[in-house]
Amino acid sequence: MIRISTKYFWLAFMFAFFKPWLAIDGQQHRLQWGDNAIPAAPGQHHITIWIPYLWKVGEATIVVDNSYGEAQVFYASPPWAFGAGAIGTTPVESPNKTLALILGLGLPALIILCCCCGTILSSMSN
């Protein structure tokens, strides 16, 4: 048995509408966001996880061995559709999360601030 935990970054909420896919030794399975249990024979397994958006988004690959018991795999989607996902045997975070926060929250805040400052300055000059 292989346990797979999948998650997406909250700013990439659009991924909630697209369930991730798993290819384990070439066989494809549809996953759910959250915890998944995949039956697998003991041994090494080549695992690839991705999100089917307009193309394969966040593709990430790992080899796990469940010869000595249940294997655990963690997958985190990228914060946007042009990046790779993160995968590991310990909990992982979305790659480039800080940059996504800066672009997703900081840039709009900066634009609003510039608009407000422009409005205040123009009203002060009149």
Side-chain angles (χ1 to χ4, degrees):
M1 179 78 64
I2 299 175
R3 295 220 175 263
I4 299 174
S5 179
T6 59
K7 66 180 180 177
Y8 60 90
F9 186 58
W10 64 274
L11 274 176
F13 61 89
M14 66 190 174
F15 289 150
F17 302 108
F18 301 91
K19 305 289 187 207
W21 279 83
L22 160 78
I24 181 166
D25 300 326
Q27 286 190 327
Q28 293 186 2
H29 303 274
R30 190 176 193 133
L31 299 175
Q32 300 293 320
W33 290 112
D35 294 326
N36 300 271
I38 306 296
Q44 283 195 346
H45 300 282
H46 186 264
I47 293 175
T48 302
I49 301 175
W50 72 91
I51 304 158
Y53 189 50
L54 298 173
W55 55 87
K56 285 184 176 181
V57 173
E59 192 168 356
T61 302
I62 191 170
V63 175
V64 295
D65 188 358
N66 68 340
S67 297
Y68 303 106
E70 194 172 85
Q72 180 77 40
V73 175
F74 297 89
Y75 171 81
S77 75
W80 45 65
F82 301 104
I87 195 167
T89 55
T90 59
V92 294
E93 292 295 323
S94 295
N96 300 320
K97 192 166 76 170
T98 305
L99 180 60
L101 284 171
I102 291 169
L103 292 176
L105 299 176
L107 191 58
L110 181 62
I111 291 169
I112 291 168
L113 181 67
C114 288
C115 290
C116 291
C117 287
T119 304
I120 292 169
L121 289 175
S122 67
S123 68
M124 290 175 69
S125 65
N126 290 336

